[in-house]
Each structure stands twice: as structure tokens, then as C-alpha cells.
Amino acid sequence: MTRDWIKDLQMGQEVNEVFAATTLQLRTYSNGEFLSMRLADKTGKISAVYWSGTQELLTRLQHAPLIRVKGRVKEYQGSAQITVQEVAPVGPDEPI
């Protein structure tokens, strides 16, 4: 299986990859809370948003050096952003 590097991501592309989370913030919007993320790999950085964010999830992700993100690349305000459907910390025995 080949890796999807951030520099190679295209609009509309599905993503199921492991990244380092350089920024994690829980924010409020009209329907509740969402998780705003800045993800990185050796080729670059990309913003990501998970609309089902919770304080518990934020705490779990903050203690993980790497996280797995499943979602789709979309355009937001002229830049690429991953809209996340699933996010979880990478376990010590999980292949990356």
C-alpha cells in the first residue's frame, strides 16, 4: 500500500492515513463543538476539521504522537482541508 503524502493530496481525494497533529483545538459552532486540527508529515501541513469533536477525544489525541485520519480533501477558503469522518490515536502495535 502506498502512502498518501500531504503534498500529493488532491481535492476530492479520500484519505486514510497517519499524521502528526501539530495543533488540536476544540471549538464551538452553532450545532455544538468541532475539532480543528493542523496535520503534518515530512512533505507539508494541512488543516483538518472533525465536526463531532469532544473534550474526551481531544484529550486522547493530545497524548498521542501520531493520529489516524479518515476523511476527504475539500476546499475551504481557497485552501485544501481534510473533512474528517474518523480520527483516533495510533496505538503502539498499529502499523503506520
Side-chain angles (χ1 to χ4, degrees):
M1 185 166 102
T2 62
R3 177 162 176 80
D4 292 321
W5 297 105
I6 289 174
K7 72 174 182 66
D8 298 326
L9 295 178
Q10 301 293 316
M11 295 298 172
Q13 180 178 342
E14 287 190 25
V15 176
N16 181 359
E17 205 54 78
V18 172
F19 300 104
T22 60
T23 304
L24 295 165
Q25 294 180 325
L26 194 60
R27 296 187 175 176
T28 303
Y29 75 113
S30 59
N31 291 330
E33 294 180 315
F34 71 97
L35 188 59
S36 174
M37 299 174 269
R38 189 77 172 154
L39 307 175
D41 66 20
K42 69 179 186 178
T43 68
K45 294 180 181 180
I46 190 169
S47 295
V49 63
Y50 181 61
W51 293 106
S52 300
T54 64
Q55 184 61 49
E56 177 187 349
L57 176 61
L58 175 64
T59 300
R60 285 187 17 231
L61 296 177
Q62 286 175 326
H63 292 16
L66 298 172
I67 63 173
R68 177 167 297 280
V69 172
K70 294 180 184 179
R72 183 175 299 276
V73 180
K74 296 185 178 180
E75 184 175 340
Y76 178 70
Q77 295 183 345
S79 297
Q81 174 179 277
I82 299 174
T83 300
V84 177
Q85 282 103 29
E86 295 178 36
V87 60
V90 174
D93 298 328
E94 184 179 346
I96 52 173

